[in-house]
Amino acid sequence: MTHFLDIHKTDPVALRGIIDNAQAMKTARAGRTRGATDDEQPLAGHMVALIFEKPSTRTRVSFDVGVRQMGGETMLLSGADMQLGHGETIADTARVLSRYVDLIMIRTFDESVLLDMAEYADVPVINGLTDRTHPCQIMADVMTYEEHRGPIAGKKVVWCGDGNNVCASFLHAAGQFGFDLTFTGPMQLDPEGEFVGLARKSGSRIVIERDPVKAVEGADLVVADTWVSMHDSQSTKERRHNMLRPYQVNQELMRHAKADALFMHCLPAHREDEATSAVMDGPHSVIFDEAENRLHAQKAVMRWCLGV
Ligand code: CP
Ligand code: NVA
């Protein structure tokens, strides 16, 4: 079964193939009406279940539209409305869904839900974000970087803020795509040591630098994300904001990156917190290309999973 669970669990050759295919599909659609189907219909006759246990705008819409462009159909399911939310096990849910659908995408809280789904499903499972990782986002981000600046291998990426689930997938991508990553944020919010270790083992230079100005020196790409993720308790908001305020990405900080550095944010953003509007809407920013590329990258992920 070809699941897409995480970037570090996916073969680098397959990852490269997915990015290339995503770009080819994007190019093939140039000039088309947004809702139009693709010439190729590799998902014709396929039903895709999209399960959301957390809110979503981009993941939900881009998967839904992507499946339809490729000729397939989708079923949007909210965890709370399923028996899953009333005590049915993940294993039983996975076995039942496998009798109806060809592919499952799930956004959930605890990673164990995703892993159980993958273990017991007879169809491919895609990680649409867990508390721990967000691989589809970083596939779109790598695609976006390369679209603007060429190969990401050997480049310096700087993550500013919370060492969260999106940061984790960036670390995985550093190892697999061969770029370097500097994390700058408070010690309490460092990324998981296991993920830092994995990226280093793959040969990437991973640096932890508490001073944001030093961190962004020479950066090719600066990345920010929300200071309070969906899995974080709102009661921690003030404390997190106080710790993270020095790591805001603003024009002054961007001045220390390379002149042609890109700025990314997976969105949704809290403008004037983790990043200012001047940066988000400024010349370095590619945030809406990133959002668009979720569509193309995930289409390629689904084709890879299904072998179509
Ligand atoms: N970036 C991202 O995954 O956005 P959504 O939460 O809107 O899906
Ligand atoms: N870190 C954020 C990403 C949202 C797409 C969260 O998990 O809420």
Side-chain angles (χ1 to χ4, degrees), residues 107 129 134 164-166 225-226 228-231 266-268:
R107 165 170 289 195
L129 179 146
H134 194 6
N164 63 15
N165 46 1
V166 181
D225 187 17
T226 181
V228 186
S229 283
M230 292 182 273
H231 58 270
C266 67
L267 306 177

Side-chain angles (χ1 to χ4, degrees), residues 194-216:
E194 181 194 330
F195 293 158
V196 171
L198 263 176
R200 283 184 178 148
K201 231 168 123 184
S202 303
S204 293
R205 185 173 141 78
I206 307 297
V207 175
I208 309 275
E209 169 58 65
R210 301 287 166 221
D211 179 344
V213 170
K214 279 195 197 144
V216 303

Side-chain angles (χ1 to χ4, degrees), residues 57-58 107 225-226 230 265-271 274 280:
T57 298
R58 279 142 289 267
R107 165 170 289 195
D225 187 17
T226 181
M230 292 182 273
H265 190 309
C266 67
L267 306 177
H270 301 80
R271 286 171 178 258
E274 67 266 17
M280 292 181 63

Side-chain angles (χ1 to χ4, degrees), residues 3-25:
H3 301 302
F4 186 72
L5 300 180
D6 269 316
I7 291 179
H8 65 300
K9 294 177 182 169
T10 309
D11 177 66
V13 176
L15 293 170
R16 175 49 59 197
I18 291 169
I19 300 281
D20 291 348
N21 186 225
Q23 192 59 59
M25 281 193 285

Side-chain angles (χ1 to χ4, degrees), residues 165-179:
N165 46 1
V166 181
C167 177
S169 289
F170 249 114
L171 279 166
H172 295 154
Q176 299 287 61
F177 287 97
F179 57 85

